[in-house]
Amino acid sequence: MCTAMRLMATLLLVTPVAGWLGAPLTALRSRAAAASGHRRSHPVLAELDGAEVLGAAALAAANVGGASVLLKRMRDEDRKPALEIVASGRVEAVEDRGTDDGSDEGVDAAVIVVGAGAAGIGFAITLTKTFGLDPSRVLLVEKGDGVGTSFRQWPEEMRFISPSFNSEGWTNSFDLNSVAHGSSPAYELHAQHPSGSQYADYLDDLCGIVQLKKRVKRRCEVLRVEKGPDGAFDVRVRSRKADGAEREDTLRSRYVVWAAGEFQYPREGGDCVGGAELCLHNSRVSSWASLDGDERVVIGGYESGVDAAVNLAKAGKQATVLASTGTWDVQTTDPSTELAPYTAERLREVTATGFSPRPKLMAPLRVVSVERASEGGFNVAAEWQGAPPPGTPPGR
């Protein structure tokens, strides 16, 4: 059965985007303003220098940026659980020590990391602080204007769904949104669910503390990567100056790490759904409250889609969610197939009796096409993937 909807509203196309709400990313956290409007300028940071990373439990006081910081070295027992992970599948032996001779002759850097977001900054810190690679031998190439640009492009209302909590004081666990051992976004930001801008601040601060800021090449987009006959990689880039002038160059490195994420590369073309080009992808929204009109249709009902519906409702806009799966009714032991508790709790808030306007949740539906309506708005064609909910009008 096909349902056709004539909607006098701008459409929002929501597709899964890695890191969108800070969901299952291995290191995400931004430094955000605390409730009082101030940020803590002294994150707890593990000071790890190369050979000492495997050793002693030591505490040292230091002064970073004029603020007293507690620097603690990683203890042997902190690393033990990670070394005892049981994995199935193919396992290959890895040498304890590589063959790096410390020479970078003929290359711009030993390692080029594409992307200065959570994954890129976290990996660079691992290389320099955990494995002792000199920061001068690592180059981060960032398409945006600075560290954590993708997080600064989040909608203003968007928050991490993974909670941030500083448990360093009494357990061996870590902040879920941390990108470096010993750092805690919760401690620095004093926020359990930081915004994108807050997390970008955290990454930027961390980058400065570990002396990597000067190793970030900003406004530099990677065009292609090719491996040369000598085994080194040629990374073709296009750099953009502050005045808009552009130039292309080739950077050479012995290794390339891709950490660009997906948020900056959303699926917006017709290969997603017919008429997708008429929709506004959620990664293009600066604020749900600032969108024109008072009605929106959201295509997609997982974390991003439900987050959009919740924020639209709180902004006083009517939201209709068309989803292939009614995630709001799914309860499983697999956290990747049901809504996060943080998301589900907020959805219950805006669908509760007495809240207005309450979002309309429709599933299971498969959107077939989106077209402009002659009288304004859009026509959305969708097919029921199962029995329509009781009370649904025929053909609707």
Side-chain angles (χ1 to χ4, degrees):
M1 181 183 297
C2 184
T3 178
M5 300 181 178
R6 182 159 297 144
L7 304 162
M8 307 295 289
T10 300
L11 293 161
L12 296 173
L13 176 64
V14 181
T15 55
V17 178
W20 74 271
L21 247 171
L25 289 187
T26 45
L28 258 78
R29 207 54 251 139
S30 86
R31 171 177 94 180
S36 62
H38 300 286
R39 295 188 308 209
R40 299 189 183 190
S41 60
H42 49 294
V44 176
L45 176 67
E47 178 70 10
L48 310 174
D49 18 273
E52 295 184 0
V53 70
L54 299 179
L59 292 178
N63 194 3
V64 178
S68 177
V69 180
L70 182 65
L71 301 179
K72 71 172 190 173
R73 301 193 181 283
M74 184 163 61
R75 302 181 301 242
D76 287 334
E77 55 265 32
D78 291 330
R79 300 184 75 253
K80 187 176 180 181
L83 299 176
E84 294 178 346
I85 294 176
V86 176
S88 59
R90 183 178 178 181
V91 179
E92 297 181 356
V94 179
E95 294 182 5
D96 291 337
R97 184 177 296 275
T99 58
D100 181 21
D101 58 7
S103 173
D104 296 330
E105 183 177 355
V107 297
D108 295 280
V111 182
I112 287 181
V113 180
V114 182
I121 296 301
F123 191 83
I125 291 175
T126 298
L127 287 177
T128 58
K129 291 300 179 181
T130 302
F131 295 106
L133 197 66
D134 191 281
S136 65
R137 305 185 63 200
V138 179
L139 179 65
L140 292 100
V141 178
E142 168 56 43
K143 177 182 177 181
D145 292 331
V147 173
T149 294
S150 290
F151 293 101
R152 297 193 189 281
Q153 294 174 343
W154 279 12
E156 182 180 334
E157 299 87 351
M158 189 175 281
R159 297 292 185 271
F160 277 81
I161 59 173
S162 50
S164 197
F165 184 76
N166 177 26
S167 58
E168 297 263 347
W170 59 88
T171 72
N172 286 333
S173 61
F174 53 88
D175 191 317
L176 287 175
N177 297 310
S178 170
V179 298
H181 184 278
S183 72
S184 170
Y187 178 83
E188 182 181 356
L189 308 174
H190 207 221
Q192 187 177 37
H193 297 278
S195 67
S197 292
Q198 289 175 321
Y199 193 67
D201 286 338
Y202 158 74
L203 292 176
D204 191 58
D205 280 355
L206 200 57
C207 190
I209 291 173
V210 297
Q211 288 81 51
L212 281 172
K213 247 182 183 179
K214 292 182 179 180
R215 301 303 298 164
V216 179
K217 190 175 180 63
R218 296 166 173 78
R219 295 185 291 273
C220 186
E221 182 179 8
V222 174
L223 304 177
R224 64 180 180 272
V225 179
E226 298 175 340
K227 190 171 185 178
D230 59 351
F233 292 92
D234 293 326
V235 183
R236 191 64 177 174
V237 299
R238 179 168 52 226
S239 300
R240 173 176 51 85
K241 295 184 178 180
D243 60 4
E246 296 182 349
R247 61 171 292 179
E248 291 191 12
D249 296 291
T250 297
L251 303 173
R252 304 206 80 218
S253 69
R254 297 170 63 182
Y255 302 96
V256 174
V257 176
W258 191 267
E262 297 180 4
F263 189 82
Q264 296 187 53
Y265 309 99
R267 291 180 60 194
E268 298 176 287
D271 63 330
C272 180
V273 64
E277 68 279 1
L278 301 175
C279 305
L280 177 67
H281 196 277
N282 72 322
S283 64
R284 308 299 188 194
V285 177
S286 59
S287 170
W288 303 109
S290 65
L291 292 178
D292 295 333
D294 56 7
E295 182 183 6
R296 292 289 186 279
V297 168
V298 180
I299 301 176
Y302 277 90
E303 296 290 350
S304 297
V306 173
D307 178 72
V310 168
N311 287 310
L312 285 168
K314 289 186 175 182
K317 302 177 186 296
Q318 178 64 61
T320 300
V321 179
L322 308 182
S324 59
T325 301
T327 56
W328 42 86
D329 289 329
V330 174
Q331 289 185 331
T332 72
T333 56
D334 182 356
S336 67
T337 59
E338 68 172 7
L339 293 178
Y342 177 67
T343 305
E345 181 180 24
R346 292 181 299 140
L347 181 60
R348 287 194 294 270
E349 178 185 350
V350 297
T351 55
T353 302
F355 189 96
S356 180
R358 297 165 63 185
K360 299 176 182 178
L361 309 177
M362 303 180 67
L365 282 168
R366 177 179 175 271
V367 174
V368 178
S369 64
V370 179
E371 299 176 347
R372 289 189 182 277
S374 58
E375 62 273 38
F378 300 87
N379 290 330
V380 181
E383 297 176 345
W384 288 106
Q385 300 300 291
T392 301
R396 299 295 291 176

